[in-house]
Amino acid sequence: MVLLQRPHILLLLIGTHQFLQCWIAFGSVNEEGQKQEEFSEELLLKPLPDHKLLAHFHFQSSGPPSTSNGCHHHLFPKAISQLVQKFRIKEMELSFTKGRWNYESWGGFDPLSSSNAKPPGVELWAVFDVPQHHIDASWKNLTHTLSGLFCASINFLESTATYSTPEWSFPPASGNVRYGTLPCEAVCTENLTPWLKLLPCRDKAGIALLLDRPSLYRGFYHSQQLHLTSTGSSSEGIDSGIILEQTLTVVLQPNSEMAIEVHASEKHIQPSWSLSSIFGKQVSGRCVLAKPSSVYLLLDRGLSAANGLTSENFWSNPSFELSANPDRIFLEESSSHSKSLSILYMFQVEKYCESEPFDIGLMWKVPVAWLCQQTPLHASRFLMGSGNERAAIAISLKSTQFTEGFMSANSKDGSCELRVDVFQVVPWYVKVYFHSLRVFVDQQPRAVSDIIEKIHVSPSKDKMSPGVMEVVLKLPCRVNTAALTIEFDKGFLRIDEYLPDANQGFDIPSAIISFPNFHASMVFLEDDSLNKSPLLSKFQEKCPVMSYTEVLLVPLTTPDFSMPYNVITITCTVFALYFGSLLNVLQRRVAEEERFLKAKAAKKTGRLPLLLSKLSAKLRGSGINQN
Amino acid sequence: MEKLKKKIGSFSFWNWVIASIIFRLILIYFPKNLNLSSRPEVSTPLTSFRRLAEGYWLKQSSMSSYAGSMYHGSPLLLSLLGPLTVKRIEGQPNHLLYSLVSVIADVVSAMLIRATGQNLRLAYLRSLESLDLVKQIDVSEFLFSGDIAALIYLCNPFTIVACVGLSTSPIENMAVILCLYGACSRLIPLAAFGWVIATHLSLYPAILIIPVIFLLGCGPDSPPRKLFLQRHQQKEVLNQSKLPPGFSWGPIIHFAFWAFLWSVYVLVLCGISLKQFGGLWEMFKSTYGFILTVEDLSPNIGVLWYFFAEVFEFFRNFFLIVFHVNILFMILPLAIRLRHRPCYLAFVYVAICSMLKSYPSVGDSALYLGLLGWFVNELADMQFSLFLFCGYVGVSLLSPVMHNLWIWRGTGNANFYFTTAMVYACLQIVLVVEGISAVLNHDRKLRILITGKPQDAKS
């Protein structure tokens, strides 16, 4: 085994020392027509309306199907390819998230938010390419493997009580999908380090250099994802190509010192920022293994409209100033929905080197206010009721400014309907009464069958499986508010089933609200260069609009944890009391009966008992004498 | 004079019955039934109305009603009562029809209790007559135990709460009473039907087969057979007609046949309704299995929930066996000692079951308290009766308070509530033990009256 590995280690050594030559060699292979492993690094920056900045790191490695290299890889992380081959994963997504995506101010309709807004904690879903009865075993092994790879407690998703099988309401729906979340998982730098290890340059070069831990974890939202797609025919197992997307989305508050200096009186002005002021670092050149290595600045539709940016004047805009000149500018293809267009400034990191590091800054000159594109309905979820016995979950949907536009666009035909899918998983100790499902439209109770087009329920089994509810709602377009309520009883657990901090409560994972009739995509003009950028080509894909609701914290009643011995002894005492006193009553004889029995016994006794009784009487007598 | 007294008695009896029905209806018309249907004292996982509705909903959406761990009742109950959980009449309370069914079940049970009580009383008077004790015991002071038992059952707050709280225990109780009534009035098919249904609904009434066999074999409660023999030895005339009949196997074989027939019938019906979803095994697993393994640990008035919430996992099976065997161990000694009083034996079994069962509710207590009324004459000398009465009142007032403090206010903790459950269990133990000793003493008193040895009367 060691001998076998040695040549590979040698190869790696050569690879690290003389990567430039290697890379040229790959390039030459590439020209021959065989697909090679590729790696790209991209960073997208987007100012958000509430004075914050979104930074989206996107690293993509692809390992094409190749028989020439066997199971060896040049760029692609070996751990991941082994994982895919071992468990026959078709698609998988793992996300570690801290904080909550603010759908109202950060938007929910663009591809960035619908694919990167994730529920707090860990979310894992995977589609397997194995027969139905092997899926659960594969899932268990996968959770353990991932838990080892990412230093997280993903292995808690192993038990059947924690993961579920969505039938159709979860967007990557197909029969073999498994879905599990750990809402209370703490995400920290120990999860980031193994994630960075999968990158060829780690965080030593290229854009990943910006990943400065203190500034990342200071942010309002932090989501670190790993998305795996295996391409091609994977029936032979080894031959499948894999695309690994690693994204990190952070929402940060830029230091507004610069803004204060300039416009101390103006509060509404957006804070100016630069890469070095946000991350405390600059990009000193690209990761040499990365093919496209670029930074984008995205001004979304609302912002460009507020700035008065049109296709003519976006080069010279009076409202803000960029500290570096963009290499290219992309305009969004005009869509029917809105008149204004998103604008994308592209900066190529390749041009910069250590002596001249890349740093981009944005300086606002005049205050601007805009709104991000929102989901058709804004979803939120809350608990109703008090006490620790029973409560109700309510999912409320409120119309946003988008729905108004949509309604006016579709108002010609009278029967306009808005389809909403709700996917809700509840742990087994939240005992949901599905018959208590109520629907309210514009605060009026409505018959469930009018609004709910399709419902699929798999009720929870104690300690066995969680409850899953998938609902398709057909709402009228003019709806202002809609609400779903469902009652539940709070379960009572054994003392060893409570978490260490039992009084904190238990989490109900986020519900997923998706709008299957809407697709978020951003198509930019000048397609030829876009094909090279995985990030932008991902933006072009039609991804379903979905949003996650809040995680609910359900306080459950606790027994007294210090009492097991007392409870056991006292209860057993009561049982002994019952048994003893009842038996005593049943066999007790009153004096007359006793005498009768004695007389009977005396008649019947033979010599031996008589002797014995005499002996005992004598012994007793002598004992008394001695005393 | 006697007739007049009886007339007055029966007149006030019907008054009380009507008053109790009206009281129930008033409570039903309160908004949301005073939230009684979610009280832990009323609805256990087995008898809860909401779980029944959930089971019916699952059934209606073409799923097994045992999918998930919500419903643990019988599929027959679901077919009969399920439609009533969703039926609504405009302007009336939500579950009016279902509540009316419970009220009717209560009234029917009370009438059956009354008939059985009268039966028992007649049998008792007859046996006294044959012992020639009529002169020594003032028969005119004898209370109408049937009326009393029926009124205790109807006016007991526990029964009312169980009825208004929409639990299924009125129906389970009715099945038990039907079984006893059938056995007392020698309607063997009815007795077998009651026994099969009661066992099917809540498993524990299965042990009632022993009192039913005694009832069918030797007739209703009477003083021990030995007394009759003694009496006749004294008289030196063996009058066969005055002796109580010996044990006869005929009715028992008859009963076994009918019980078999009814259980096959019930199982076939269950099998039909569960054909698509796992069949009978699924039903046994989630009804009897659920009862025996105490999976649900939500608080109730019993002691097992807290015990199994606290006990260590590796002792769980051991204690499950110990607690269930506690019921079984007592069957034989009780049957031997009380074999001449099968109805009283049935009462003791019911009381023990409702004390030690995995999910007890006040509905179970209501049943044995009602049956207790049959034996007012025998239990006249019972000790601690005032203490027991105060204890019951105190526990039924304190238990909701402690539950409220623990669950709703969060100021108390589980131990407070559990303490009331312990006290309640102790009270029931005292009731059973004292009741048995009172009946045994009553028999002793009769013997003393016959043999005429007043010096031992006190002991």
Side-chain angles (χ1 to χ4, degrees):
Chain A
M1 200 61 206
V2 176
L3 277 171
L4 275 173
Q5 277 180 349
R6 225 164 244 170
H8 182 56
I9 294 164
L10 268 175
L11 200 113
L12 270 178
L13 280 173
I14 294 163
T16 44
H17 284 293
Q18 305 179 325
F19 49 83
L20 206 63
Q21 286 95 320
C22 280
W23 201 59
I24 291 161
F26 297 154
S28 62
V29 177
N30 208 0
E31 280 161 22
E32 283 164 23
Q34 198 188 358
K35 274 194 152 186
Q36 265 305 331
E37 294 175 9
E38 280 170 4
F39 173 70
S40 71
E41 51 172 14
E42 281 151 304
L43 166 65
L44 183 120
L45 298 162
K46 180 187 171 188
L48 294 171
D50 57 346
H51 295 207
K52 296 193 179 68
L53 178 75
L54 179 137
H56 176 68
F57 294 86
H58 185 269
F59 305 98
Q60 180 167 327
S61 334
S62 56
S66 65
T67 43
S68 60
N69 295 329
C71 53
H72 300 299
H73 296 276
H74 300 290
L75 294 174
F76 198 82
K78 193 175 178 183
I80 298 295
S81 72
Q82 283 176 337
L83 190 86
V84 171
Q85 280 164 20
K86 178 114 202 231
F87 304 120
R88 302 281 210 82
I89 296 164
K90 233 188 216 166
E91 205 175 349
M92 187 197 94
E93 190 174 277
L94 172 68
S95 69
F96 295 89
T97 309
K98 207 180 89 182
R100 191 163 63 81
W101 182 265
N102 190 343
Y103 284 94
E104 266 169 332
S105 49
W106 302 343
F109 199 75
D110 47 334
L112 202 62
S113 54
S114 56
S115 58
N116 293 303
K118 289 284 166 191
V122 169
E123 185 201 47
L124 172 70
W125 59 262
V127 184
F128 295 94
D129 185 31
V130 291
Q132 281 289 337
H133 55 280
H134 289 312
I135 291 179
D136 286 331
S138 292
W139 169 268
K140 274 175 197 173
N141 289 328
L142 175 69
T143 54
H144 278 272
T145 315
L146 287 176
S147 137
L149 263 179
F150 290 102
C151 302
S153 34
I154 307 171
N155 56 324
F156 287 151
L157 289 175
E158 169 208 35
S159 95
T160 50
T162 49
Y163 68 89
S164 56
T165 312
E167 292 277 323
W168 34 261
S169 60
F170 187 62
S174 70
N176 302 344
V177 65
R178 292 288 181 278
Y179 174 87
T181 53
L182 292 173
C184 50
E185 175 79 6
V187 179
C188 200
T189 170
E190 64 182 10
N191 307 115
L192 184 68
T193 311
W195 185 83
L196 283 171
K197 268 189 184 173
L198 302 176
L199 301 175
C201 298
R202 314 243 163 136
D203 56 345
K204 301 286 181 254
I207 289 172
L209 203 62
L210 291 174
L211 295 172
D212 171 49
R213 310 297 195 283
S215 48
L216 280 186
Y217 289 102
R218 203 165 45 212
F220 290 82
Y221 176 81
H222 167 94
S223 173
Q224 162 200 335
Q225 281 182 55
L226 181 98
H227 189 107
L228 275 178
T229 329
S230 72
T231 54
S233 63
S234 51
S235 50
E236 290 89 42
I238 304 159
D239 270 0
S240 62
I242 312 161
I243 294 173
L244 167 71
E245 281 174 64
Q246 288 173 267
T247 61
L248 180 74
T249 312
V250 279
V251 174
L252 299 163
Q253 175 80 64
N255 247 341
S256 52
E257 283 163 30
M258 273 198 281
I260 289 164
E261 280 167 25
V262 183
H263 294 279
S265 58
E266 296 218 42
K267 280 181 186 170
H268 299 294
I269 195 157
Q270 293 278 334
S272 302
W273 50 263
S274 68
L275 277 187
S276 52
S277 79
I278 301 165
F279 295 108
K281 284 180 179 176
Q282 292 170 323
V283 184
S284 54
R286 67 188 174 104
C287 167
V288 278
L289 297 171
K291 191 79 174 298
S293 170
S294 34
V295 175
Y296 299 92
L297 174 69
L298 176 73
L299 304 181
D300 72 352
R301 289 171 195 165
L303 178 55
S304 61
N307 274 330
L309 284 174
T310 54
S311 47
E312 284 85 40
N313 68 348
F314 55 78
W315 278 107
S316 56
N317 194 273
S319 61
F320 63 88
E321 199 175 274
L322 289 174
S323 69
N325 275 332
D327 294 304
R328 293 183 89 136
I329 298 178
F330 300 108
L331 263 182
E332 195 191 1
E333 242 175 34
S334 55
S335 65
S336 58
H337 281 311
S338 58
K339 294 156 212 162
S340 51
L341 305 167
S342 308
I343 294 167
L344 194 69
Y345 297 87
M346 178 188 166
F347 305 88
Q348 279 173 334
V349 185
E350 287 157 35
K351 295 196 300 187
Y352 300 88
C353 61
E354 222 158 305
S355 55
E356 192 198 343
F358 171 69
D359 188 12
I360 180 199
L362 182 81
M363 176 90 88
W364 292 98
K365 291 181 201 156
V366 287
V368 278
W370 76 100
L371 282 173
C372 280
Q373 260 199 312
Q374 299 199 355
T375 48
L377 294 170
H378 177 250
S380 65
R381 193 178 60 165
F382 51 91
L383 280 180
M384 301 196 297
S386 66
N388 281 334
E389 195 179 21
R390 57 178 186 269
I393 304 172
I395 298 175
S396 100
L397 302 164
K398 258 187 220 147
S399 65
T400 55
Q401 96 276 18
F402 173 86
T403 344
E404 285 152 27
F406 177 76
M407 191 197 76
S408 58
N410 286 312
S411 56
K412 288 157 220 160
D413 51 339
S415 60
C416 157
E417 275 182 335
L418 189 66
R419 185 181 153 176
V420 184
D421 287 7
V422 180
F423 173 62
Q424 167 79 69
V425 181
V426 287
W428 65 266
Y429 38 79
V430 170
K431 300 180 171 186
V432 172
Y433 289 100
F434 290 105
H435 76 269
S436 66
L437 184 69
R438 303 265 178 283
V439 183
F440 297 87
V441 175
D442 293 333
Q443 281 145 7
Q444 296 297 316
R446 296 282 290 270
V448 170
S449 52
D450 290 355
I451 300 297
I452 292 181
E453 194 191 50
K454 198 169 155 192
I455 183 165
H456 171 257
V457 156
S458 80
S460 59
K461 265 207 173 322
D462 283 358
K463 288 155 205 169
M464 289 290 292
S465 63
V468 181
M469 182 178 77
E470 296 172 77
V471 181
V472 175
L473 298 173
K474 280 270 185 201
L475 296 170
C477 289
R478 291 167 187 281
V479 66
N480 277 324
T481 57
L484 280 179
T485 65
I486 190 159
E487 289 172 24
F488 67 89
D489 271 357
K490 297 183 182 179
F492 292 82
L493 312 180
R494 280 205 317 269
I495 45 169
D496 49 353
E497 285 167 341
Y498 283 94
L499 297 176
D501 185 10
N503 285 307
Q504 189 220 343
F506 288 76
D507 292 294
I508 301 184
S510 300
I512 303 175
I513 315 286
S514 54
F515 304 92
N517 293 351
F518 298 95
H519 293 280
S521 65
M522 251 186 229
V523 184
F524 290 98
L525 295 168
E526 296 183 68
D527 277 61
D528 53 326
S529 64
L530 285 182
N531 289 338
K532 289 176 198 161
S533 161
L535 176 65
L536 296 190
S537 56
K538 207 188 168 208
F539 277 5
Q540 292 190 3
E541 287 169 18
K542 278 193 169 184
C543 60
V545 177
M546 54 193 239
S547 59
Y548 289 85
T549 62
E550 299 90 340
V551 167
L552 291 179
L553 189 65
V554 183
L556 290 188
T557 321
T558 54
D560 192 336
F561 292 104
S562 59
M563 289 284 280
Y565 291 102
N566 300 356
V567 169
I568 292 169
T569 47
I570 293 173
T571 313
C572 289
T573 309
V574 169
F575 271 81
L577 178 74
Y578 152 77
F579 196 82
S581 59
L582 197 55
L583 218 55
N584 179 35
V585 162
L586 288 178
Q587 60 93 51
R588 190 171 60 199
R589 314 229 170 237
V590 290
E592 181 220 1
E593 288 167 339
E594 212 119 276
R595 246 174 283 143
F596 175 70
L597 281 178
K598 259 186 196 165
K600 222 176 175 182
K603 267 183 216 165
K604 279 187 182 170
T605 41
R607 274 178 196 170
L608 195 67
L610 213 70
L611 267 174
L612 276 175
S613 64
K614 269 184 185 173
L615 202 71
S616 67
K618 258 191 183 172
L619 277 174
R620 225 177 281 150
S622 63
I624 291 163
N625 286 345
Q626 275 168 12
N627 284 338
Chain B
M1 192 65 199
E2 181 85 338
K3 263 186 185 174
L4 192 75
K5 201 178 172 186
K6 203 172 181 179
K7 219 175 186 180
I8 291 166
S10 70
F11 177 67
S12 63
F13 171 78
W14 288 110
N15 269 355
W16 278 103
V17 169
I18 288 162
S20 73
I21 293 170
I22 289 171
F23 187 62
R24 277 173 169 78
L25 291 179
I26 290 170
L27 287 183
I28 286 166
Y29 272 86
F30 264 97
K32 282 197 161 183
N33 287 8
L34 299 167
N35 277 333
L36 283 173
S37 57
S38 52
R39 295 290 314 168
E41 296 88 4
V42 177
S43 67
T44 65
L46 290 173
T47 61
S48 160
F49 171 76
R50 298 167 81 208
R51 287 179 186 247
L52 182 81
E54 179 73 7
Y56 183 69
W57 188 86
L58 287 175
K59 195 184 164 196
Q60 287 304 99
S61 38
S62 62
M63 261 181 275
S64 163
S65 45
Y66 298 118
S69 14
M70 264 302 175
Y71 185 60
H72 300 285
S74 135
L76 300 181
L77 213 58
L78 206 63
S79 313
L80 291 175
L81 297 181
L84 302 182
T85 61
V86 290
K87 203 157 271 178
R88 289 200 166 79
I89 304 168
E90 271 311 307
Q92 302 289 333
N94 276 345
H95 307 295
L96 182 67
L97 288 175
Y98 185 89
S99 330
L100 288 182
V101 167
S102 321
V103 172
I104 290 167
D106 265 3
V107 173
V108 169
S109 313
M111 291 306 116
L112 290 176
I113 287 179
R114 184 172 184 240
T116 315
Q118 279 166 350
N119 214 334
L120 285 177
R121 184 168 173 274
L122 285 179
Y124 186 54
L125 287 178
R126 216 181 304 132
S127 58
L128 280 188
E129 210 171 289
S130 70
L131 287 173
D132 298 334
L133 285 174
V134 188
K135 286 166 240 162
Q136 279 132 314
I137 298 171
D138 192 2
V139 182
S140 62
E141 273 180 22
F142 257 47
L143 298 161
F144 293 96
S145 54
D147 291 4
I148 289 170
L151 284 186
I152 289 178
Y153 187 75
L154 268 184
C155 304
N156 188 349
F158 287 175
T159 327
I160 294 173
V161 160
C163 171
V164 178
L166 303 170
S167 85
T168 57
S169 42
I171 289 157
E172 287 166 17
N173 290 351
M174 190 172 76
V176 172
I177 292 165
L178 205 64
C179 165
L180 293 179
Y181 169 77
C184 269
S185 34
R186 307 193 82 75
L187 300 168
I188 291 166
L190 190 69
F193 177 74
W195 181 72
V196 166
I197 291 293
T199 308
H200 173 64
L201 290 182
S202 57
L203 180 66
Y204 290 99
I207 60 170
L208 288 182
I209 193 165
I210 293 167
V212 167
I213 284 174
F214 282 131
L215 264 176
L216 294 173
C218 3
D221 294 22
S222 61
R225 198 175 151 78
K226 223 192 297 177
L227 282 188
F228 291 95
L229 292 175
Q230 273 180 349
R231 185 73 188 162
H232 292 291
Q233 272 170 3
Q234 277 181 359
K235 279 186 165 181
E236 314 237 329
V237 237
L238 215 65
N239 193 345
Q240 282 294 341
S241 64
K242 278 199 168 184
L243 260 182
F247 198 83
S248 55
W249 285 98
I252 290 155
I253 292 161
H254 201 176
F255 174 80
F257 167 73
W258 274 102
F260 174 74
L261 212 66
W262 282 120
S263 42
V264 166
Y265 181 61
V266 164
L267 287 181
V268 164
L269 284 184
C270 290
I272 289 169
S273 69
L274 291 171
K275 201 167 46 188
Q276 303 110 298
F277 320 106
L280 288 178
W281 175 242
E282 187 71 23
M283 180 189 87
F284 285 128
K285 217 167 65 179
S286 52
T287 53
Y288 294 170
F290 182 75
I291 292 172
L292 293 177
T293 52
V294 199
E295 280 161 24
D296 195 308
L297 301 175
S298 50
N300 53 40
I301 55 170
V303 290
L304 297 195
W305 62 275
Y306 200 51
F307 185 87
F308 285 109
E310 295 267 349
V311 82
F312 309 104
E313 179 62 26
F314 44 87
F315 284 138
R316 191 180 158 80
N317 290 333
F318 168 72
F319 277 110
L320 277 177
I321 293 168
V322 165
F323 289 161
H324 289 299
V325 156
N326 246 318
I327 298 179
L328 296 179
F329 266 179
M330 271 303 157
I331 290 178
L332 198 65
L334 283 169
I336 291 170
R337 202 77 168 109
L338 293 171
R339 65 183 180 281
H340 56 283
R341 292 188 178 276
C343 274
Y344 193 75
L345 184 63
F347 156 73
V348 172
Y349 282 169
V350 168
I352 287 175
C353 283
S354 78
M355 174 168 66
L356 300 182
K357 76 196 290 190
S358 12
Y359 311 101
S361 72
V362 290
D364 303 309
S365 309
L367 175 65
Y368 74 76
L369 288 177
L371 298 190
L372 189 66
W374 284 344
F375 312 103
V376 272
N377 299 315
E378 287 90 335
L379 294 178
D381 298 332
M382 199 173 111
Q383 283 179 310
F384 304 125
S385 44
L386 179 70
F387 164 75
L388 280 173
F389 177 75
C390 297
Y392 269 81
V393 171
V395 165
S396 46
L397 291 179
L398 264 184
S399 166
V401 171
M402 292 306 172
H403 186 261
N404 187 292
L405 282 183
W406 173 39
I407 299 282
W408 294 93
R409 280 173 217 291
T411 47
N413 76 26
N415 301 336
F416 291 35
Y417 184 67
F418 181 62
T419 310
T420 61
M422 294 304 285
V423 171
Y424 188 61
C426 290
L427 282 177
Q428 293 180 97
I429 290 170
V430 173
L431 176 77
V432 167
V433 169
E434 285 307 316
I436 290 171
S437 83
V439 164
L440 292 178
N441 281 336
H442 181 78
D443 286 344
R444 281 183 197 122
K445 202 177 91 185
L446 286 184
R447 172 187 293 144
I448 288 153
L449 284 175
I450 289 167
T451 51
K453 283 183 185 167
Q455 69 268 30
D456 286 327
K458 262 203 162 180
S459 60

